[in-house]
Amino acid sequence: MIDENRPDGMPAEQVLAEIRELRALDRPTHGGRLFAYVYDPAVPGLDALATAAYAESAHVNGLDPTAFPSLLAMENTLVAAAARLLGGGPGTSAPDVVGSVTSGGTESLILAVKTARDARPDIAAPRIVVPASAHAAFAKAAHYLRVELDTVPVDPSTLRPAVAGVAAALRPETVLVACSAPSYAHGVVDPVEQIAEVAAAAGVRCHVDACFGGWTLPYLRRLGLPVPPFDLGVPGVTSISVDLHKYAYAPKGVSVLLHRDPQLRAPQYFAYADWPGYTMINPVISSTRSGGPIAAAYATVRHLGDDGYLELTRRTWAAVCTLTEAVRGADGLRLVAEPESTVVCFTATETGPDLFVLVDELAARGWHTQPQLSYAGLPPSVHLTVTAAVAPRAAEFGPDLADAVAAARAAGPVALPPELRALAGTLAPEGLTGDVVAGLAAGLGLGPGGGLPERMALVNTLLDAAPPALRERLLVEFVSLLQRPAW
Ligand SMILES: Cc1ncc(COP(=O)(O)O)c(C=O)c1O
């Protein structure tokens, strides 16, 4: 028993009050006005259920399924639920589907790449082919696993890769072709059938990243939307991932990676018996891992059920339509892609407002959107991940958007001081010395103690003016300034 009167120990209520005070600094996770990071179904009682389930299993260790069969059972149930939703299981064309519960989309994708790489020990310098629109987690996987990343450009109007481009990118060293259903940035579903066919013809694995859309596309289809084939029902798709902490509305820390059969999954495992301790056998990156997220996801999925998800998707789509109309009706904005999933992505017309100023103006009105920088001929854009919680608020967005556009127009574009613009255009990443970074951070209002400016338009404009390699270096430097010990 901890003595709460010890001078260095804090009473429970006080600690919680401290956390609540810190949490007040955050963007609002509930209320339907945050369009990234958080997936809120706004179902009464669901948070309490997930938290209670989390607490039941928080101290259970996923390291050893024989010691904690409860976790194994819950994982197997989640894998079956994901597989059923994604075209696998008894009576389907993927009856032998197997899978693992991972900590998130990035881990699922890293493992998909690792599994494909390790299935081909004969290839000394393995490569993967992904559309340029694929999630950055593929680049992270390639970096961690020392696999070369071959990106196929996307058409600026469809935002999809040309299938011929994917075929042309294949090399004898290619171990995996990936595509998205849908892409995070624009919410566009890649031509999965054709890409999988090209991969299969070359004898290469094909992974579908349905981390974002795997739990909504099947329901959108049931609601009558023309969702193209994207799952295990497509011949040639060898693996697929779906995040439960996205549209299954589970708390953070749960994704599922499925393989068409156990043989395809085999290289995913890491087993090690060559040391004096316990024999290690893991299908995922972590060894010790909490049962909390898995139990919370299990409770969420069981509680909402198929009907629940269908209804939540119906609400989400209604919100997508309302937001889309708001963008269409706004002066100087246009959709980057016609919404076909749960993303609304828009940009400014040539005579439109400065997008980064608009993002700040929307934030000032309580709408938290996600700016996306220009890239490879694609304009900067504003990304909205739409969840069911947005539905009751969606009608309020249009008037606020119009208001924010007017304010952004009145404010005019951010004027990057000429020396900063010149720096962004000419500085090589290696030229970012400590002094240059300190000068930039001060110029942008990034405080040494981790303070962020109220408005981010200046930072975004600087990043937008820089090529990707310099953006990466700048971000590392800036974030490193934030991540300092709180003495
Ligand atoms: C399509 C897609 N893949 C992968 C990921 C990475 O997921 P996570 O952030 O859970 O690691 C995301 C996250 O938004 C995503 O949208």
Side-chain angles (χ1 to χ4, degrees):
M1 186 77 184
I2 289 176
D3 179 6
E4 292 186 343
N5 296 319
R6 279 184 316 158
D8 61 336
M10 207 185 255
E13 258 322 304
Q14 204 178 326
V15 180
L16 289 175
E18 207 171 86
I19 291 174
R20 284 187 203 111
E21 203 177 307
L22 287 169
R23 286 277 294 106
L25 304 170
D26 294 345
R27 295 192 187 178
T29 54
H30 293 69
R33 284 171 160 262
L34 174 58
F35 290 112
Y37 312 112
V38 165
Y39 297 75
D40 178 17
V43 171
L46 189 66
D47 276 354
L49 171 66
T51 310
Y54 197 109
E56 288 287 341
S57 296
H59 298 289
V60 170
N61 191 343
L63 176 67
D64 184 348
T66 63
F68 301 105
S70 68
L71 264 197
L72 180 64
M74 286 190 266
E75 285 200 19
N76 286 342
T77 299
L78 291 176
V79 167
R84 210 174 289 124
L85 204 54
L86 297 174
T92 71
S93 59
D96 301 324
V97 59
V98 289
S100 313
V101 174
T102 74
S103 65
T106 300
E107 187 179 0
S108 288
L109 298 184
I110 290 174
L111 287 170
V113 174
K114 175 209 136 43
T115 308
R117 183 198 68 175
D118 291 355
R120 295 298 307 270
D122 55 313
I123 296 180
R127 316 178 73 91
I128 61 173
V129 172
V130 303
S133 54
H135 195 275
F138 283 109
K140 187 171 180 178
H143 179 75
Y144 279 18
L145 297 166
R146 293 187 187 274
V147 167
E148 280 302 316
L149 185 72
D150 293 315
T151 49
V152 179
V154 293
D155 180 299
S157 56
T158 66
L159 302 160
R160 294 178 175 83
V163 178
V166 174
L170 290 175
R171 300 204 202 172
E173 300 81 23
T174 306
V175 295
L176 183 73
V177 175
C179 48
S180 314
S183 61
Y184 176 80
H186 309 116
V188 164
V189 181
D190 285 334
V192 175
E193 268 185 314
Q194 294 90 327
I195 290 176
E197 193 182 339
V198 161
V204 174
R205 290 178 181 229
C206 175
H207 180 80
V208 177
D209 176 6
C211 285
F212 185 85
W215 221 276
T216 49
L217 290 178
Y219 294 106
L220 287 171
R221 185 183 285 146
R222 276 166 61 180
L223 291 169
L225 264 79
V227 174
F230 72 95
D231 60 16
L232 290 165
V234 175
V237 169
T238 51
S239 58
I240 186 166
S241 48
V242 57
D243 292 354
L244 274 65
H245 62 205
K246 293 193 169 78
Y247 284 99
Y249 293 118
K252 302 288 177 233
V254 183
S255 169
V256 167
L257 170 61
L258 300 171
H259 295 274
R260 184 175 285 281
D261 61 47
Q263 215 183 332
L264 285 164
R265 179 176 64 174
Q268 187 185 315
Y269 285 100
F270 177 77
Y272 198 73
D274 203 4
W275 74 306
Y278 58 86
T279 308
M280 179 184 275
I281 163 73
N282 299 143
V284 295
I285 295 175
S286 303
S287 295
T288 285
R289 56 186 177 133
S290 169
I294 294 166
Y298 179 87
T300 305
V301 168
R302 301 283 281 177
H303 183 64
L304 290 175
D306 207 38
D307 292 343
Y309 285 114
L310 185 63
E311 171 56 21
L312 290 170
T313 309
R314 194 189 60 72
R315 287 182 207 168
T316 307
W317 182 248
V320 167
C321 295
T322 306
L323 299 173
T324 302
E325 285 316 306
V327 172
R328 276 195 228 284
D331 172 33
L333 300 181
R334 68 172 175 85
L335 293 162
V336 172
E338 206 52 44
E340 56 186 86
S341 59
T342 55
V343 172
V344 177
C345 180
F346 60 87
T347 187
T349 63
E350 266 184 22
T351 53
D354 182 298
L355 272 193
F356 301 132
V357 176
L358 178 64
V359 165
D360 285 343
E361 290 296 339
L362 281 168
R365 287 159 181 77
W367 298 98
H368 303 276
T369 62
Q370 193 169 50
Q372 299 183 139
L373 306 179
S374 54
Y375 171 74
L378 301 175
S381 57
V382 177
H383 168 107
L384 311 181
T385 286
V386 185
T387 60
V390 177
R393 318 304 301 265
E396 299 160 23
F397 184 71
D400 279 350
L401 180 64
D403 202 36
V405 166
R409 280 189 185 285
V414 159
L416 205 55
E419 62 283 6
L420 278 190
R421 181 168 291 279
L423 205 63
T426 57
L427 188 66
E430 315 77 69
L432 269 186
T433 59
D435 285 351
V436 175
V437 172
L440 277 174
L444 293 169
L446 300 168
L452 284 173
E454 182 107 327
R455 295 189 161 236
M456 292 297 285
L458 191 59
V459 176
N460 286 323
T461 305
L462 173 75
L463 291 172
D464 199 60
L470 182 57
R471 288 176 189 172
E472 291 161 6
R473 279 284 294 142
L474 283 168
L475 286 169
V476 168
E477 295 296 341
F478 292 159
V479 172
S480 161
L481 285 179
L482 299 179
Q483 295 178 327
R484 296 293 158 102
W487 303 123

